[in-house]
């Protein structure tokens, strides 16, 4: 595998990255889900944790830890992803504003470096490798085991959605919620553009607080912003949690008839995207191209972004949801390889488009990719200080610009842990030198 060979190695988690990041052209792809080793081991107690394989799916970890009344603290929206795959990126969802991303909720890793060394690393031991691997896009080592921090798991979730027609009011409420001490346990949001006819889709499993008023609500095709929040609870705390929710809602400025509520189990809530997967698979709409674009936008620039993109570059949301929610970086550990905008608070904006394979129209791959490019160009022209999440670049210059002042450290770590550039070639960051023949 050294300099005498051109062979590279990619760890493949569940293979959900979108641009071939878990592939190795003419190299070796390791199916991490086939990794055999010790089973998941849960350690209950004050500082509870679970030891898992790097190829383990988060949904399996949820089911195993729930047997002990415990669960990981930070999630992604979809749980059929591997530990190694999300820890190589960040793992961000509606819990990240208070818990940080998944990479901030790991105590220890076992890693096989590009030099073939098996290293156990943590904040205390081999911390440079530990932080390098977290958010390191697979560049420094393959995560074979991870120790994930756990907390008491709630049984139930109050899940709430409400609409806004003014972006400034919506974002003000989102920001005050992520910054307040007593808030919801999960805060996300999404944009609805030009969807008059299908306005019911956004809340199909929710009940209106006031059915009469809700039935009379008409958006007249305006762009709407949906705030989505959740509060966890156990059945014996139902009354107290209802009062807490009432208090929190009373401070928000949503459109009153558009308050919709739902009560589901914790597992149902966390595994919600899988339920959509089952439906989409039945319709043949799951295994199609997903030209997604995920951006991290500084809080001070989110209004410029919304004004320039929603309703202008993006004129409807029929190709897929657009998620938008702020996170508070002061709760995050900034020693990892994960790159964020410079400000303390920033927004994740996720354009989660699906493309109709044979279409050459506005729902086709070419059109959506061009639209993504227009969004990126707008961000660059307006100098918004945006960073890509789940980044994809083709040249080292672009990667250097992405990492900014952190590039130097990244390169040093690469030469320390994977000097021949064997690992994760699909990220197109470093190229293994071809041997003479
Ligand atoms: C429906 C859906 C919803 C999603 N929702 C979210 C979300 O809410 N939040 C979020 O943050 N992300 C989300 N994602 C994105 C997801 O985190 C990434 O696609 C991630 O890469 C998927 O993990 P995977 O197991 O499929 O990894 P892969 O795509 O297989 O791998 C990703 C990268 O990590 C490397 N890698 C994989 N395993 C290891 C390992 N063990 N050690 C070292 N490197 C490794 C690969 O080589 C590759 O470079 C979502 C994806 C989907 C499909």
């Amino acid at each position: 595998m050294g300099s005498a060979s051109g062979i590279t190695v990619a760890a493949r988690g569940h293979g959900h990255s979108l641009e071939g990041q878990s592939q190795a052209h003419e190299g070796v792809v390791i199916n991490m889900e086939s990794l055999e080793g010790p089973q998941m081991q849960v350690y209950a107690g004050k500082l509870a944790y679970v030891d898992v394989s790097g190829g383990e799916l988060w949904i399996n970890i949820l089911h195993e830890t729930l047997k002990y009344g415990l669960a990981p603290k930070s999630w992604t929206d979809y749980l059929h992803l591997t530990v190694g795959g999300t820890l190589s990126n960040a793992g961000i969802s509606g819990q990240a504003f208070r818990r940080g991303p998944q990479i901030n909720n790991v105590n220890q890793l076992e890693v096989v470096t590009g030099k073939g060394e098996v290293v156990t690393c943590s904040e205390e031991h081999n911390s440079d490798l530990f932080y390098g691997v977290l958010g390191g896009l697979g560049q420094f080592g393959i995560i074979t085991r991870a120790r994930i921090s756990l907390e008491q798991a709630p049984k139930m979730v109050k899940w709430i959605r409400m609409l806004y027609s003014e972006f400034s009011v919506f974002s003000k409420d989102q920001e005050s919620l992520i910054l307040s001490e007593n808030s919801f346990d999960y805060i996300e949001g999404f944009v609805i553009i030009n969807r008059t006819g299908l306005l019911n889709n956004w809340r199909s499993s929710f009940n209106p607080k006031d059915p009469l008023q809700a039935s009379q609500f008409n958006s007249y095709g305006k762009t709407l912003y949906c705030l989505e929040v959740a509060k966890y609870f156990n059945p014996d705390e139902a009354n107290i949690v209802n009062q807490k929710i009432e208090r929190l809602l009373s401070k928000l400025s949503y459109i009153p008839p558009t308050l919709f509520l739902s009560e589901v189990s914790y597992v149902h809530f966390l595994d919600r995207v899988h339920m959509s997967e089952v439906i989409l698979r039945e319709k043949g709409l799951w295994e199609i191209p997903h030209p997604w674009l995920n951006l991290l936008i500084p809080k001070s620039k989110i209004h410029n972004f919304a004004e320039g993109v929603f309703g202008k570059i993006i004129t409807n949301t029929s190709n897929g949801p657009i998620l938008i929610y702020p996170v508070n970086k002061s709760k995050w550990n900034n020693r990892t390889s994960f790159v964020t905008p410079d400000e303390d608070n920033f927004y994740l904006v996720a354009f989660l488009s699906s493309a109709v394979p044979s279409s050459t129209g506005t729902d086709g791959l070419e059109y959506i990719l061009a639209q993504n490019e227009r969004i990126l160009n707008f961000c660059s022209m307006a100098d918004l200080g945006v960073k890509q999440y789940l980044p994809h670049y083709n040249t080292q210059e672009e990667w250097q610009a992405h990492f900014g002042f952190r590039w130097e450290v990244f390169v040093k770590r690469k030469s320390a842990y994977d000097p021949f550039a064997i690992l994760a070639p699909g990220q197109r960051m470093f190229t293994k030198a071809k041997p003479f023949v």
Side-chain angles (χ1 to χ4, degrees):
M1 298 299 299
S3 57
S5 138
I7 291 179
T8 53
V9 176
R12 181 188 187 273
H14 211 50
H16 273 305
S17 41
L18 300 163
E19 303 275 355
Q21 288 94 330
S22 54
Q23 292 300 310
H25 182 57
E26 295 182 346
V28 176
V29 176
I30 302 173
N31 173 9
M32 294 306 293
E33 284 182 73
S34 69
L35 201 67
E36 285 182 7
Q39 295 294 308
M40 271 187 268
Q41 283 182 312
V42 177
Y43 296 84
K46 198 153 176 261
L47 296 174
Y49 60 83
V50 59
D51 282 334
V52 299
S53 148
E56 196 58 80
L57 293 179
W58 286 96
I59 183 68
N60 297 338
I61 300 176
L62 175 64
H63 287 305
E64 182 63 23
T65 53
L66 279 179
K67 292 177 189 163
Y68 302 79
L70 299 164
K73 300 169 180 173
S74 188
W75 296 99
T76 45
D77 291 341
Y78 176 61
L79 307 189
H80 297 246
L81 306 168
T82 64
V83 167
T86 68
L87 295 185
S88 297
N89 286 293
I92 307 176
S93 180
Q95 300 86 6
F97 74 95
R98 67 153 38 138
R99 295 304 201 181
Q102 289 179 324
I103 51 172
N104 287 170
N105 290 282
V106 187
N107 302 341
Q108 184 178 293
L109 297 172
E110 181 192 80
V111 173
V112 181
T113 68
K115 292 203 279 194
E117 292 166 347
V118 182
V119 184
T120 301
C121 55
S122 65
E123 194 175 348
E124 291 81 29
H125 302 288
N126 301 311
S127 63
D128 186 64
L129 178 61
F130 180 65
Y131 288 118
V133 165
L134 294 171
L137 303 169
Q139 293 304 307
F140 311 120
I142 295 181
I143 301 168
T144 44
R145 285 195 76 74
R147 178 166 290 178
I148 315 284
S149 178
L150 301 176
E151 65 182 359
Q152 290 294 323
K155 292 208 161 41
M156 300 294 296
V157 177
K158 300 258 183 195
W159 187 9
I160 304 167
R161 285 179 176 175
M162 61 210 97
L163 295 180
Y164 294 72
S165 54
E166 297 297 329
F167 183 76
S168 56
V169 184
F170 164 75
S171 58
K172 186 165 167 271
D173 276 358
Q174 272 194 328
E175 286 170 23
S176 77
L177 283 175
I178 67 149
L179 294 174
S180 80
E181 271 307 308
N182 296 309
S183 192
F184 290 99
D185 296 303
Y186 160 101
I187 298 168
E188 286 201 7
F190 54 92
V191 189
I192 304 169
I193 306 173
N194 201 8
R195 302 280 286 167
T196 328
L198 295 167
L199 205 58
N200 277 339
N201 271 7
W202 69 278
R203 54 135 187 120
S204 49
S205 54
F206 290 70
N207 298 314
K209 175 95 192 276
D210 184 330
L212 182 64
Q213 277 195 40
S215 67
Q216 288 161 0
F217 173 72
N218 190 333
S219 74
Y220 298 107
K222 267 183 101 173
T223 296
L224 295 171
Y225 305 94
C226 178
L227 173 60
E228 179 176 68
V229 292
K231 193 92 183 150
Y232 304 156
F233 70 106
N234 288 319
D236 57 342
E237 305 157 340
N239 286 340
I240 301 170
V241 87
N242 281 337
Q243 287 167 19
K244 282 186 186 164
I245 289 173
E246 283 297 323
R247 261 203 305 278
L248 286 166
L249 291 177
S250 70
K251 293 183 193 139
L252 303 179
S253 306
Y254 55 90
I255 306 166
T258 69
L259 181 62
F260 289 84
L261 307 143
S262 174
E263 191 173 305
V264 292
S265 73
Y266 187 53
V267 174
H268 177 113
F269 175 71
L270 290 179
D271 203 22
R272 59 198 179 278
V273 176
H274 179 59
M275 319 232 174
S276 307
E277 174 185 355
V278 172
I279 297 167
L280 291 170
R281 273 191 189 281
E282 275 168 12
K283 294 182 182 166
L285 295 175
W286 182 256
E287 294 196 354
I288 57 174
H290 288 95
W292 287 4
L293 178 66
N294 288 273
L295 302 174
L296 306 174
I297 299 165
K299 182 189 120 176
S300 68
K301 298 288 169 34
I302 194 67
H303 294 272
N304 310 33
F305 180 85
E307 208 180 299
V309 175
F310 303 144
K312 292 200 180 126
I313 299 178
I314 302 281
T315 49
N316 68 64
T317 39
S318 55
N319 287 335
I322 302 175
L323 306 187
I324 177 164
Y325 55 93
V327 290
N328 176 10
K329 201 167 70 177
S330 67
K331 304 261 172 76
W332 298 24
N333 189 325
N334 63 9
R335 295 173 67 192
T336 66
S337 293
F338 180 44
V339 176
T340 64
D342 289 336
E343 292 179 17
D344 259 359
N345 299 304
F346 59 87
Y347 277 77
L348 173 73
V349 182
F351 298 89
L352 306 179
S353 310
S354 304
V356 177
S358 54
S359 170
T360 51
T362 56
D363 54 1
L365 187 59
E366 294 306 317
Y367 182 91
I368 299 170
L369 286 173
Q371 200 171 46
N372 290 349
E373 219 37 60
R374 283 177 67 202
I375 296 171
L376 288 169
N377 284 341
F378 168 77
C379 294
S380 151
M381 298 296 281
D383 199 16
L384 300 186
V386 166
K387 293 290 178 192
Q388 278 194 45
Y389 178 51
L390 309 173
H392 163 245
Y393 296 108
N394 288 314
T395 65
Q396 202 171 68
E397 287 69 38
E398 290 171 307
W399 279 113
Q400 192 166 348
H402 172 77
F403 281 96
F405 71 93
R406 302 165 71 124
W407 177 245
E408 205 182 319
V409 174
F410 203 87
V411 172
K412 264 194 196 141
R413 283 176 172 160
K414 187 70 179 175
S415 63
Y417 304 115
D418 182 26
F420 297 118
I422 292 170
L423 298 173
Q427 298 283 2
R428 301 178 184 92
M429 210 182 288
F430 299 95
T431 313
K432 190 174 186 194
K434 290 257 184 298
F436 290 112
V437 279

